[in-house]
Structure formats: C-alpha cells, structure tokens
Amino acid sequence: MDWWKQIFAAFKKADIGQVAYVPDAGHAALIDACIADQDIHAIALTTEEEGVALLAGAWLGGVRGALLMQSSGVGNCINMFSLSSTCRFPLPVFVTMRGQWQEFNPWQHAMGESAQRHLETAGLQTRTAAEASEVGPLTTATLDKAFADGGMAALLLHQSLMPAKTFDQ
Amino acid sequence: MQDTRSDTYPLQRRDVVKRLTRGKDDLLVIAGLGSTAWDITSAGDRDLNFPLWGAMGGAISMGLGLALAQPQRRVLVITGDGETLMGMGSLASVALQGPQNLSICTFDNERYGETGMQMTHTSAKTDLAAVAAACGIAVTGEVRTEDALEAALPIILEAAGPVYHAIKVRAEKLDFVLPPKDGEHLKDRFRRALLGVC
Ligand SMILES: Cc1ncc(C[n+]2csc(CCOP(=O)(O)OP(=O)(O)O)c2C)c(N)n1
C-alpha cells in the first residue's frame, strides 16, 4: 500500500475527526483523501502553530485530530507546543521531511536538519519512517502515544519516500 | 506621542464580560492569556471556561477546533487585541471553515495590558473588525458604546456565525482574578463537564 494510504487507514481506524494542515507536496495525496472523506474535517491553516491550538480545542470537544506539516513548519510551532505539553493535550504530528535527501533547495536544510531536535526539545516523542512498509505501524504507534498516553508524538517521513522536487531543472 | 484615547472609552471589560457570560451555563468559553483570562474568571470561575495562561496567538484557533467538534454548542472566544494580532491568520482559517456556532470577541483596549500597557497596532492603524470582515467572517462589528453593546449581545450569543466583534474597552489596570493555573486540571474539568469523561 502507498505510504500515505497507510496513514489514512490508520487515521480512519483511530477515529480521527480533524486533520489540520499547511500543505506540503509530500502530503498532497493524503490531504486530498482527508478532504474527500465525509467524516473528517480537513482544516487548512495559515501557519502550523494554529493547528496545535486547534487540536487542543478539538480534544476539549471530544474529537481526535492530527496535524500535517513539512519540516519547516516545525519551527513555526515551538511556543504553541507548550499548550500541549503543559495541559497534556494529545498531539500527533506527521512531518514530511525536506533538506534530507536529493534536496534541490538549500533553504530547506536549516529546518530539515534541525526539525527532529526541535521536536524533541519541545517534548515530542519522534519516530522516523524511512521505508514505505513501516509507515503504517509507525503511524499507529504515533497515534497511540498521543491518545492512549495524552502525549505528543511526531512521525518524520523521510524525504526518500517522496519524489524528488527538481523545480523543472 | 502616544495615543491615549482608550483611557476614556466608555465600555469597561469586567462589565462587558459579565453580560456576555453570566447565566449562560451552556456556553463554552475560551479566554486568551492575561487580562481576558482574569476577566472571564471575575464573572465566576466555571468548569466550561478554558482560560489560557500562555500559547499567545492560539485562542481563536482553539475556539475553532472546539466549535467544529461541538457543532450543537455555542463557543465564545474572548481575547485581547495583542493576542488577536499574534494569531491574525486564524481569522482566515475560521472564515474558511465557517462554523455557525463560533463567536469571537476581542476586548480591544489598544494596549498590551499585561506587560505594561504598551500600545498595540490597534491604537494607531489596525481595525480588527475590518480585518475579520476582509478575512471573510460572516458577521462582524466594532462596539464602542453602551447602545452598540446592547445590540451586539444577542448577535454574539445567538446569531449564525462565525461572528467577530472588536469591543473597544477602556485601558484600565484592574485587580487580578486568577483562575486555576494547572493546565491538566483545566482540561480535565472542561471535558468532564462537557463530555462526562476526562
Ligand atoms: C509569545 C509571547 N510573546 C509575548 C508574551 C508576553 N505577553 C503576555 S500577555 C501579553 C499582552 C497581551 O495583550 P492583549 O492581548 O492586548 O491583552 P490585554 O492584557 O491588553 O487585555 C504579552 C505580550 C507572551 N506571553 N508570549
């Protein structure tokens, strides 16, 4: 199964009702699937930190959510992560990595190389999926950490899972 | 020269908050950090209040997530102008989702009250109600007078939203009325009162 379909299937199984995102090319198919799903609110954000607060509100209202972003978006969230850690709001985050593998754009390196450390410093447990076959189980582990444990967890999706972005060069 | 016009605005935040929340037992209330968190508490601490102590810029997004999760319940976000400015993009996200049960009130004293009354952008140039309207929020208004507040109350509490109002309130330094600050407790008591589980 395509890696993104494994994430989508795990979302459905975990009864995810809100999926918030700032688009990344790597997440495009998953975002489209969430938009098309009748039972998922797919919520476009203007900046990733909105999603951290949004999912806290969803949880207050009894709904489970997940947050999608690219590695640059991690930097936009740092202070808002304190909401999840201080109140123990469940927060599962799915990060498509840039600046890691066949990266054409050097501006992606700063956050690509530091995103995992930033996430861990902010209190998120991190896992990396480097092979398509492990995305499903690692998605389930990430969702379990969030919802069974009131925790914060991120799944880093290795750039090698995605087609290289070449800017038509 | 600082513009100190908000020192004499007629509406006072502690009165406004009482009229918004008193006796509205079903209302789900989120307050931004600082003065608005003390304001909602001054009207009576309740389990269905979620006062933020941090996460500046997050109050409106939190209200959006809650409103989408609980479409049958009215959700009211009460926050400051500084807090609104930090999360201004969230007004666009609210407009895009268009939850009918969400109302947002900015208590706009044109200052960063909590940090020493420094001027915010609304003291000079920025019109938050116009920002909200330009973002596409269906019902918006600016409230400066007693009469305008009287007219706005039923809209804020009942109209099909999303609703946004900038309520121009006097810049005043008031007593702290502190809610509980344990975030887990605030979350658990809210969920227990709303959902019966934490
Ligand atoms: C990210 C971040 N930056 C700055 C602060 C400091 N701070 C705390 S309250 C506040 C001002 C809040 O102003 P406003 O929302 O206008 O509320 P008021 O007290 O004036 O009603 C600021 C800047 C903070 N807590 N977090």
Side-chain angles (χ1 to χ4, degrees), chain B residues 99-119:
Chain B
Q100 296 201 351
N101 58 327
L102 177 62
S103 286
I104 301 156
C105 289
T106 299
F107 283 8
D108 184 1
N109 62 356
E110 305 181 356
R111 311 292 179 90
Y112 293 101
E114 227 15 69
T115 49
M117 285 288 183
Q118 301 89 350
M119 298 288 159

Side-chain angles (χ1 to χ4, degrees), chain A residues 79, chain B residues 13 33-36 39 53-56 79-84 86 107 109-115 117 120:
Chain A
N79 180 51
Chain B
R13 52 195 311 143
L33 83 172
S35 308
T36 50
D39 291 338
W53 284 79
M56 186 167 173
T79 188
D81 43 309
E83 211 276 344
T84 303
M86 193 172 280
F107 283 8
N109 62 356
E110 305 181 356
R111 311 292 179 90
Y112 293 101
E114 227 15 69
T115 49
M117 285 288 183
T120 65

